[in-house]
Structure formats: structure tokens, C-alpha cells
Amino acid sequence: MSATPPASSLREPLLLDVEGMKCGGCVRAVEQRLLQTEGVRQASVNLLTRTAWVDLEPRVDGPDGSAADPLPALLGSLEGLGFQARLRPQEPEPASQRERRQAEQWWRHWRQLLVALLLLLVSGLGHLADAGLLAWRGPWPLLGSPWFHALVATLALAFPGRPILVRGVRSALAGMPGMDTLVGLGVASAYLSSLVGWLWPASGWPCYFNEPVMLLGFVLTGRFLEERARYRTGRAIEELGALQPDHALLLLGDGPPRQVRVGGLRPGDRLRLLPGDRVPVDGVVLEGCSRVDASSLTGEPLPQSVEPGSELAAGLLNVESSLVLEVRRRGADSAIARIVRLVERAQARKAPIQGLADRVAGRFTLLVLLLALATLLFWWLWGCRHWPEVLTMAAAAGHGAHGHGALAHGGVGTGTPFSLGLQLAIAVLVVACPCALGLATPTAITVGSGLAARSGLLFRGGDAIETASRLEAVLFDKTGTLTIGRPLVTAVRVVGAAPGSPAEVAEAARLVQLAASLEQHSRHPLAHAVLQEAQGRGLPLLGVSGAQTLPGEGVQGLVEGSGLVRVGRLDWLARQGVRAEPAATALQQDLESGGATLLAVAAEGRLLGLLAVEDRPRADAAATVGRLRRLGLRLGLLSGDRRASVEGLGHQVGLRPEELAWELRPEEKLERLLLAHRRGAVAMVGDGINDAPALAAADLGIAVGTGTQIAQESAALVVMGEGLDGIVRALEIARRTMAKVRQNLAWAFGYNLIVLPIAAGALLPGFGLSLSPELAALLMAFSSITVVGNALLLQGLPRDAAP
């Protein structure tokens, strides 16, 4: 087995913004190019958000201790493929700058829409003029001039159509044709054939300059509507980012507060927070008492009380009175900034179900090109000879020198085998929609993860959402998960001392002091209870050296004035050579009968006494267990605590005796997880601190109550706040999201399977039905918008809906 690289050699995954992607073929091309770049281990691209998540190999330092930066190579390789990419900045974007950027983008999109509508208007009037429906008065004779329509088509291709043509040629030359290649080839074919037919009438080629103009109009209109739908799917991140204000009130000495930008704040700065203000950065309260609203961040509806010493995360809303804060972390490292980055990376990581769609989309364009070529050759060389009536229907439809009067019935407006084959081939090129295949999964994943984030539920990727949707079992840790994680010391018993005697009181204080001095080096919730007890008794902590935590057993170290001290399970102390006297066994039975967890304290190999610690179940634990059971999930509790404590908690929250397991070491928890995994996907719910191995081993690790440490946890789903009901809601969102994914994929595959044969003329001989290129372009745009619109229906799920 290879050695694990040191932490300094590990590199954070990169998140890139990639411009120019239009379809699933583009996604496949970008992913392949990234994976071909040296140093890239994994790459995942999201068509909807136009982002690429890149996981890098461990860094290999050079002789001078430096390592090559892989970013320039990544950006250069994508630029060579025709895609502009940049590293997403770590600093949060100010709201004013974000609004200005969005305004510029929307002006560009609206301008594109106006151009598209103008093209459709000119093309539509040209069709009406060809059909003889417009009187030749005023400006209308201009619409009957072939040179005018040739000029309009030339300008349309040279200006609004130029980006499509350029991107299409670039991707084709790179060997990875995409949506722009299909549209560009269709528009260019219609334009060039019309140009030849107009300048060289003897060729018999069709002349319909209105057609490429109308094609471009429909394509640009569809992309505008699709862009609006894309924006709606990404509003969750915008709403999260808006929770962090641009400015803060900085306190400088005794002077009045000064307004400064949040980006300039550093740890140690003091801030004034007024009622109605949002917390700008993570900090701790120095002065004042108030209540803060965390509903926008965690979904918890009730305000929380804060006082000096309380830690506040960025994004919380101050409700009642003024506070003075000390900055703990700068804006880029705040909780809300980390949440936004986590959601962005989660949306960039695709679900496994998307792999099939991406593989199909990567080869889809080539198949469409071959089908279009086959359609042209078939109708030109054989089809019209076998079914000559299709040309008769086309001639009866009636059409002018540069247009036609039928869109989808009675022929396609041509009179020669070549012109019929060419128009059907153009329809095949334009109606094909790899966009729908590429958007089917990321639209639903983006909307679902955003909806979850607004409720304080943070999925780490589309793979986590897919796993959550197919769970069959949920296993819980006890302390800090089903319980509130803040247990209290309820009893202190000294071995060999009479209860209530002065000696017993003095020895009890020493017992708590030794345990607290050692437990200050542990993050276990039981350690926090011991520290609270020492603080309540006013006991100073002693110096400790060589402290060591043994997971599932206890803590040991050298305590000043007392030698080697151990705090932990009684059976662990026995294995270390500490002898338990009969009096200690009696005390143990008495305390455990009430369901308390015991901590035994020993110094220099002699048992000093026992601490009884009790935790309370979370207020919504019983309700959450009941709702999970109604979802058809198998449940279980894996705990290292004593049997009496575990059984008492199981009875309170509604778990059955056969669903309980106690006195488990970490490796035994992993064994239970593997056994449960044999019957289906299993989730492990823990507090995200001491349960990292179990969270990582489960199909879905769920961390509860770790809102400010989410970036360091190993869980695939983080439930912020103090409640458990978010677990049920997360599973409900995951199930609905994957249902939308399956619906979108069925639509995307079904659409292409149905319309491509129709566009190729499959219904033309028997029914006289076909798709004109204009109608094909309209259907293509509609298919992408349908996929995005279906995903947006997820936003109709209320935030507090119960499954």
C-alpha cells in the first residue's frame, strides 16, 4: 500500500467558469480535454452553471520546494478548444458588483432577443409577401426583391449568426462538433444553396433566403428563453451570497463607527452591529445581548439569544439590540462564503446517472451529421424516384423565388429531388437537440441542491443527491446526534468515601479537576460536560503533557502533581491494569440504572471515582424517527455507550430493541455498516466530529449541527442547525430531484428519437407530413426550455413541507 501524501502536498479542487458551452457535446469535449491535461485526476462539468470542477493530483515539489501551477495549462488547453475559462474567485463578490454584472448580462441578452425578433419579423413578412398576402404598396415591393432578402440573410449571418458559425467551425476542427456545429451547418447550407439558386437559376437549387434568417431568429429566441430559465435555477446561490452585506461599521478607538467594505476586514477588528443588520463576517460577541434570526441560513424559524462570548456566523440577522463583535474570520473564510463555495462545487459535481447522457451526447452530433447526409442522399438519389408524389405535393404548395408557403404539411416547398433532400437534411441538423440531453440532469440537480441549501441542507454533489434518493437504511450515532450533544454531569461518586463527608466533598472536587484538566484536550461532547462542571465549581485546570485520545475508549496523559491520569470507560481502565473494587461496581450499577453514561477516573493505576453524565434527546428526534420509518427506511442506533443508556434513549425516540447496538468501538461500527450495506444503500448520521470514519464508510454520510465547520467534514450531506427534521426534508428533496432527472432524461431521449425520423422524412410518403427547417428550429428551442422548466417545478416545494 502506498504511503499517504503529507497534507502539504494535497491540492484543493479548482472551480472554473467556462464560457461557450451549449450542449452535451461541449460538456464531453471540455471534460475530455481537462482529463488529458497533466496533473488532473477527475473533472466534472455542469452545462447549466457553465462550471468545471477539477480534482488535481497531489503536488510534487521541485528541487527548490516550489511546484508548477496547473491552472495556466488548464486554461490554455480549453482556449485551444474554443472555450474561454477562468478560475472562480475565492473572495465573495460584492452585491453591488454582482447586480451591475447581472444588469450588463441581461442587457446583452435583451439585445439578442430584439435582434432575433427583428429577424423573425422580416422573415415572416417575406413569407407573407411570397404567398401573395401583402399588397404591393408602399415599402412592400421591397419584400418581394430577392436582393433585399439576400442582403438581410448576409447581414444576419455576418453579425448575430457569426458567433454560432465561428464556434461551430472551431469545435468541428477540434474533432468535437457540438450544437453550434449543427445549427451553423444548417444555416450556412440554407444560405449557400439560396445564393447558388439566385445567382445561377439554371442549377435548379432552391432559393429561400428567408429560411436561414428565420432559423437564426428561432435559435436566438430559444437561447434567450433558455438563459432566463437558467438564471432562475441558479438563484439559490445568489440568495445565499446576498446574505453577506457589502459594508460593515468598524470601531476605531473611542471615535464613531466608520463604514468600510467587508473585504477589508481582518481578524481582531471590532464591529458595531445595529438592529436589522446582517452579520458581515464570522465573529464573537464582545458587548451587548440580543436575538438573531438564522432562518435564512439554517431554516430554523425561532430567533436565538446571544450574549458576550456567543459566536455568530456571517449572514445571521440581528433582531433586537446593538452588539459589538470581534472579527474571527475574514469575509472569504466566513461560514456563508464557505457555504456558497460548497454549493457551487456540489452543483459542478455530476450525478452518476448523468454519465449515460454525457456519453450519448458526446457522440450524438456525429450521428446527426451522418443522418443528415444520409437524408440528403436518400431523397436526392432514390426517395423522389420511388415516391414521385412528394414532389407533386411540394409543387402544389406554392412558393416564390425565395420562400415557401408551407411549414409542416403538404410538402416542404421544393420542386426538385435535390432541394427536397437538402431541406430535409437541414431540418435534421436543426431539430436535433443535444442541449436537452446535456441539461436534463444538471438542471434538476442545480435546482434541488439550491432548494436544499436555502433550508440549511448542503449536499456535496449530484452523486450525494442520487445516493440519498435510493437509501434503504439510516443508522444514527447517539451522542450529539439523537441527543443535543451537550450532556451534563449529574453525579460525582468517590470510591471509598462516605457520601456527604468533608473528605468526599474534597475528593469529588479533585476528581472533577483532574478529569477536566485532561478532557480539555478532547472534543468529545462528554468532555464538554466535564469542563462545564469544573467551570461551575470554579476549579482551575492543571497542566497536562502527552495527552492522547483513544477513540471509543478514553483520554490519558500526565497531569501536573498527579502523574498518569486516565478518564474513560471502566472496562478500558481494567484492561490498562486499573483494579475496580467492589464498591466501584456497586456505584456503577446504581448510576447506570438511570441511563447515565459513566466516566471512570484513575490516577497512577488507582481508581478514584466515577462521573455520571446524562444527555437529553433532541426535541424533534422522536418525530424524525417516525417520519423516516413512514418513508419505508430501516433504522438503527450505533453507540459506544452502555446498554442502559442506549436502551433508555431508544425507548424515548421510538427505536425498537432489535434496532439498538451498544458498547461499539469505531471498528465495530464500521462492521455494522458493512452488514447493513449488503441489504441496500445505507446512510450514517453523526455529529460530524468523532464519527468521520463511519460517515466516510457509509453510502451517504450525514453530519448534523456542524454549520461552521462544513468545509472540514467528511459527510456527503450537512444538516445545519440543531434539528434532525432536515434529514427527512433532504431525503424528500433528493427523491423529487431524481424523479425530475428521470423525467428530463426520458423527454430528452424520447424527443430526439421521435423528431429525428420525422425531420428525415419518415412520414412524408404516407402522410405528406414533414418538418420545415423553421419549425425544426422552434422545436429544438422548445425541447431545451421544457427540460429547464420541468426542473424549475421543484421550486414549488414549500421549505417546510413534510413528506
Side-chain angles (χ1 to χ4, degrees):
M1 181 179 296
S2 60
T4 303
S8 60
S9 68
L10 301 178
R11 293 195 280 200
E12 284 290 327
L14 302 177
L15 192 62
L16 306 178
D17 291 315
V18 184
E19 294 297 331
M21 296 189 297
K22 299 297 181 183
C23 64
C26 300
V27 170
R28 186 74 172 174
V30 171
E31 280 188 353
Q32 289 180 347
R33 182 58 60 92
L34 289 173
L35 291 172
Q36 292 168 1
T37 305
E38 184 179 359
V40 174
R41 180 163 50 189
Q42 287 180 301
S44 180
V45 179
N46 188 315
L47 175 61
L48 183 74
T49 59
R50 297 188 179 98
T51 55
W53 177 83
V54 184
D55 189 18
L56 302 174
E57 295 285 353
R59 184 180 62 197
V60 179
D61 295 335
D64 59 351
S66 62
D69 185 4
L71 184 60
L74 291 173
L75 301 184
S77 63
L78 293 182
E79 187 174 357
L81 198 58
F83 299 101
Q84 297 295 324
R86 64 182 179 88
L87 180 66
R88 178 160 293 184
Q90 295 293 315
E91 290 286 344
E93 186 179 25
S96 56
Q97 182 178 341
R98 182 170 57 250
E99 292 172 359
R100 184 167 58 252
R101 175 177 53 82
Q102 290 175 353
E104 294 174 354
Q105 289 177 347
W106 280 118
W107 166 241
R108 186 169 64 252
H109 294 323
W110 278 106
R111 186 173 55 194
Q112 174 180 290
L113 177 63
L114 292 176
V115 171
L117 294 178
L118 181 61
L119 293 178
L120 290 175
L121 176 63
V122 172
S123 178
L125 291 176
H127 280 292
L128 293 176
D130 286 341
L133 299 179
L134 293 178
W136 299 109
R137 297 190 301 270
W140 300 128
L142 189 64
L143 295 175
S145 303
W147 66 266
F148 172 74
H149 291 280
L151 177 62
V152 172
T154 302
L155 294 176
L157 266 68
F159 293 100
R162 183 175 179 273
I164 295 177
L165 297 175
V166 171
R167 286 194 297 263
V169 171
R170 281 185 176 180
S171 59
L173 293 178
M176 300 176 180
M179 189 70 215
D180 283 333
T181 305
L182 296 179
V183 174
L185 187 57
V187 172
S189 300
Y191 175 78
L192 292 176
S193 65
S194 300
L195 195 63
V196 173
W198 177 45
L199 298 178
W200 187 24
S203 65
W205 284 33
C207 180
Y208 34 59
F209 284 113
N210 288 326
E211 194 159 281
V213 176
M214 184 167 282
L215 282 177
L216 276 177
F218 278 133
V219 169
L220 295 176
T221 303
R223 289 189 175 179
F224 171 82
L225 297 175
E226 184 181 319
E227 196 65 35
R228 283 191 62 88
R230 287 175 189 257
Y231 170 73
R232 290 185 61 194
T233 63
R235 283 192 302 182
I237 292 182
E238 299 290 342
E239 293 174 1
L240 286 172
L243 295 178
Q244 188 165 18
D246 285 351
H247 298 87
L249 296 177
L250 178 65
L251 295 175
L252 299 172
D254 297 330
R258 303 293 184 181
Q259 182 169 284
V260 297
R261 298 193 66 85
V262 170
L265 296 175
R266 294 294 179 266
D269 290 343
R270 296 169 66 248
L271 306 177
R272 172 73 68 184
L273 190 68
L274 301 177
D277 288 348
R278 290 200 177 272
V279 181
V281 291
D282 295 352
V284 60
V285 178
L286 296 181
E287 301 176 14
C289 296
S290 183
R291 296 174 70 83
V292 295
D293 181 2
S295 59
S296 299
L297 199 60
T298 67
E300 295 179 358
L302 299 178
Q304 307 168 4
S305 298
V306 296
E307 56 188 15
S310 300
E311 292 190 6
L312 299 182
L316 302 181
L317 179 65
N318 184 25
V319 177
E320 290 184 351
S321 58
S322 177
L323 298 172
V324 175
L325 305 181
E326 179 182 322
V327 177
R328 284 292 177 90
R329 283 175 285 272
R330 60 193 186 97
D333 298 327
S334 66
I336 189 65
R338 294 199 305 273
I339 291 171
V340 169
R341 288 198 297 269
L342 181 63
V343 175
E344 289 174 340
R345 291 181 179 179
Q347 293 178 349
R349 287 174 53 182
K350 66 181 62 177
I353 196 174
Q354 191 177 346
L356 173 62
D358 284 348
R359 287 193 297 271
V360 172
R363 301 171 177 84
F364 182 77
T365 305
L366 292 175
L367 294 176
V368 172
L369 290 173
L370 293 175
L371 179 60
L373 178 61
T375 300
L376 171 62
L377 296 176
F378 175 83
W379 290 105
W380 179 22
L381 302 177
W382 190 82
C384 290
R385 295 179 184 178
H386 190 72
W387 295 292
E389 65 272 12
V390 297
L391 294 178
T392 304
M393 289 186 294
H399 43 274
H402 48 270
H404 56 78
L407 284 180
H409 192 276
V412 290
T414 67
T416 66
F418 176 80
S419 59
L420 173 63
L422 181 62
Q423 282 212 22
L424 291 177
I426 293 173
V428 169
L429 290 171
V430 176
V431 80
C433 192
C435 293
L437 288 173
L439 290 170
T441 299
T443 49
I445 294 296
T446 299
V447 175
S449 59
L451 178 64
R454 291 200 301 270
S455 301
L457 311 170
L458 305 178
F459 287 99
R460 289 194 177 274
D463 50 348
I465 293 179
E466 183 173 345
T467 301
S469 70
R470 56 182 178 85
L471 285 178
E472 296 189 17
V474 178
L475 304 179
F476 291 91
D477 176 51
K478 174 180 174 288
T479 304
T481 303
L482 285 177
T483 63
I484 61 175
R486 290 188 293 271
L488 302 175
V489 175
T490 56
V492 180
R493 296 290 185 265
V494 179
V495 176
S501 66
E504 194 269 345
V505 173
E507 283 298 315
R510 178 172 178 263
L511 187 70
V512 173
Q513 186 181 38
L514 290 175
S517 300
L518 196 56
E519 292 284 13
Q520 67 179 311
H521 298 278
S522 171
R523 297 181 63 189
H524 196 280
L526 297 181
H528 181 69
V530 177
L531 289 169
Q532 273 192 319
E533 180 68 16
Q535 184 179 11
R537 291 172 178 250
L539 301 173
L541 300 182
L542 304 174
V544 177
S545 61
Q548 182 182 9
T549 299
L550 303 176
E553 304 288 2
V555 185
Q556 64 182 14
L558 297 175
V559 180
E560 179 184 347
S562 299
L564 179 62
V565 177
R566 293 186 176 96
V567 179
R569 295 161 52 128
L570 195 58
D571 57 349
W572 171 62
L573 294 182
R575 293 196 301 272
Q576 302 303 313
V578 177
R579 186 172 60 87
E581 300 178 1
T585 304
L587 287 175
Q588 176 187 4
Q589 295 174 351
D590 179 53
L591 293 173
E592 285 184 342
S593 63
T597 298
L598 297 187
L599 289 177
V601 183
E604 293 295 342
R606 185 174 66 87
L607 183 65
L608 301 181
L610 302 174
L611 301 177
V613 182
E614 292 188 66
D615 199 359
R616 292 168 292 172
R618 294 181 186 265
D620 58 351
T624 299
V625 168
R627 293 169 65 186
L628 290 173
R629 201 181 296 281
R630 287 193 293 273
L631 287 178
L633 297 169
R634 305 191 311 272
L635 304 178
L637 172 60
L638 306 180
S639 176
D641 287 349
R642 289 281 183 175
R643 176 174 181 173
S645 177
V646 173
E647 289 182 336
L649 177 66
H651 178 72
Q652 293 181 65
V653 301
L655 289 171
R656 300 162 184 162
E658 64 272 15
E659 296 172 337
L660 306 177
W662 49 84
E663 298 183 13
L664 298 178
R665 294 189 298 273
E667 60 271 19
E668 293 175 328
K669 286 187 178 182
L670 295 180
E671 292 176 1
R672 296 292 185 109
L673 276 172
L674 294 176
L675 289 175
H677 176 72
R678 295 178 182 176
R679 300 175 59 188
V682 58
M684 177 67 193
V685 186
D687 60 10
I689 296 174
N690 300 296
D691 304 302
L695 294 177
D699 294 286
L700 183 75
I702 305 177
V704 179
T706 55
T708 60
Q709 298 295 330
I710 56 173
Q712 289 79 35
E713 299 300 335
S714 57
L717 168 62
V718 177
V719 180
M720 299 177 63
E722 298 298 328
L724 291 173
D725 57 339
I727 299 174
V728 184
R729 177 163 174 79
L731 301 186
E732 174 70 8
I733 291 175
R735 292 185 177 186
R736 292 182 178 230
T737 298
M738 294 312 299
K740 290 298 180 185
V741 168
R742 289 187 286 271
Q743 293 169 12
N744 283 350
L745 287 174
W747 164 257
F749 280 106
Y751 163 84
N752 285 291
L753 289 175
I754 293 173
V755 300
L756 280 174
I758 296 176
L763 300 180
L764 187 56
F767 302 92
L769 294 174
S770 65
L771 293 179
S772 70
E774 296 95 324
L775 184 58
L778 186 62
L779 288 175
M780 181 270 293
F782 173 74
S783 65
S784 298
I785 297 170
T786 301
V787 166
V788 180
N790 185 48
L792 286 171
L793 295 178
L794 281 169
Q795 294 184 341
L797 179 65
R799 290 181 59 170
D800 57 350

